[in-house]
Amino acid sequence: MHLLMRRAGPAISVVLLALQLGACSPRQMIVGSLADELAAQGQGSETDLDLLRDAAPFHLKLSESILRQDPGHRGLAESVAAGFTQYSYAFVAFEAEQVEAKDAKAAERLRQRAARLYERAHRHAMRGLEAASPGFAKALAGAQAKDWPAIRPEQVGLAYWAAASWGGWISLSKDDPGVVADLPLAVRLAQRAWAVDPDWGQGTLTGLLGTFEAARPGGSQQQALAYFDQSIAQSAGKSAGALLAKAEGHAQPAGDREQFESLLRQALAIKDEAGSPQALQNEVMRRRARWLLDKADDLF
């Protein structure tokens, strides 16, 4: 899965904004302005992952609280879904993998928490899609392609996070057949979004399709490889996440250690330009690449 991490957010400025607006504006204007502010926060250049891990919970809870007051705010729904997905992947699920060998019970608790966070992200994303298109989830589950919901260009990001969080939730719920059974719907949602904007996220959406194709029962490894290679090309070789997706989704299952390690080293060699919107994503993935290289003997 690829990350487009958002910075934790200028919490103080958000609170000050609320106070300023509260003196002269109706409640809904305050809520709407806060929603706009939180949703508009761009990708930061902060790469201190420990600092981000500590700051993220406050930002997520604040954003989630405002979203409950303004459930139709598509931008904030996308931001909240992205935030919970990214936090779960980068910190909680990753920690579960790290402690597995030493403390299986702790790892299981972390996996369960990560699954709940993915579910939470998915719920927010689907509510956002439902708000714009009532009956979206029911239509997505329809038996006939003609009944599947249309996705507008401005909804592609929200659909991506709905599908990505769904995939994460499913991957950690192997003992829950009801959740696992939804994998075809997650794949369908990603495909519907990709049909609208195949370049979304500089290959991030394409990479997700590759991961889904490699993981789903009966999936085509050839097609998965094509998606992975297309994702790397779309990112112009500047996304560590695209390289790791191919390493973990193709090289590792194929038993190709040489390619696996080569892809990880390529990810580690990426040098981010100052202010690059991919800097944080790449730092998360470089950390994972180093860990995977250290574990290579156990993986092959």
Side-chain angles (χ1 to χ4, degrees):
M1 185 183 299
H2 305 286
L3 295 164
L4 295 173
M5 297 284 290
R6 296 174 185 270
R7 63 188 175 202
I12 294 176
S13 66
V14 170
V15 174
L16 289 175
L17 176 63
L19 293 174
Q20 292 166 358
L21 290 173
C24 59
S25 305
R27 178 174 178 276
Q28 192 54 43
M29 180 180 177
I30 299 173
V31 171
S33 296
L34 283 170
D36 290 342
E37 172 75 11
L38 290 165
Q41 288 176 18
Q43 300 159 8
S45 58
E46 178 62 66
T47 56
D48 185 326
L49 300 185
D50 290 332
L51 177 62
L52 286 166
R53 179 171 189 160
D54 292 342
F58 172 80
H59 175 72
L60 287 172
K61 287 295 295 179
L62 174 62
S63 298
E64 188 177 48
S65 177
I66 297 301
L67 182 59
R68 290 195 184 100
Q69 302 300 315
D70 191 1
H73 198 293
R74 178 182 52 78
L76 186 55
E78 181 177 336
S79 177
V80 170
F84 276 108
T85 302
Q86 294 161 344
Y87 185 82
S88 182
Y89 176 85
F91 301 122
V92 186
F94 184 50
E95 185 179 351
E97 293 180 275
Q98 291 176 299
V99 305
E100 177 71 44
K102 296 180 180 179
D103 192 336
K105 290 184 178 179
E108 180 58 25
R109 287 194 297 271
L110 286 164
R111 279 194 294 269
Q112 290 177 6
R113 182 181 179 222
R116 291 193 297 270
L117 290 170
Y118 282 135
E119 179 186 6
R120 196 164 173 174
H122 175 68
R123 186 168 63 247
H124 284 303
M126 291 301 292
R127 283 176 179 167
L129 292 168
E130 283 280 346
S133 304
F136 185 95
K138 183 178 180 180
L140 184 66
Q144 302 295 324
K146 64 181 179 59
D147 297 325
W148 296 344
I151 294 175
R152 298 191 294 274
E154 67 272 16
Q155 295 176 309
V156 171
L158 193 55
Y160 168 82
W161 290 113
S165 58
W166 213 346
W169 180 20
I170 290 167
S171 72
L172 296 178
S173 303
K174 292 181 171 58
D175 294 331
D176 189 338
V179 176
V180 175
D182 282 340
L183 178 58
L185 299 184
V187 175
R188 181 178 300 168
L189 180 56
Q191 290 172 334
R192 300 289 285 176
W194 191 79
V196 176
D197 186 357
D199 293 322
W200 187 89
Q202 294 180 301
T204 301
L205 179 52
T206 305
L208 178 62
L209 283 175
T211 298
F212 276 152
E213 189 65 28
R216 71 179 182 86
S220 166
Q221 293 305 309
Q222 183 177 359
Q223 180 60 62
L225 180 58
Y227 280 135
F228 290 136
D229 286 339
Q230 183 177 353
S231 177
I232 292 170
Q234 288 171 321
S235 73
K238 296 180 180 180
S239 170
L243 294 163
L244 261 71
K246 183 177 179 179
E248 294 190 83
H250 173 71
Q252 185 180 344
D256 190 339
R257 180 169 180 171
E258 182 179 355
Q259 184 184 52
F260 179 80
E261 293 186 350
S262 174
L263 289 164
L264 297 181
R265 291 194 177 95
Q266 289 177 56
L268 289 172
I270 292 175
K271 303 298 182 183
D272 299 310
E273 298 177 0
S276 168
Q278 292 182 315
L280 181 53
Q281 170 201 358
N282 284 342
E283 183 59 25
V284 169
M285 291 304 183
R286 282 190 290 263
R287 180 187 62 172
R288 184 171 182 83
R290 286 189 288 269
W291 179 74
L292 287 169
L293 281 171
D294 288 341
K295 281 182 59 67
D297 286 342
D298 298 327
L299 298 174
F300 290 90

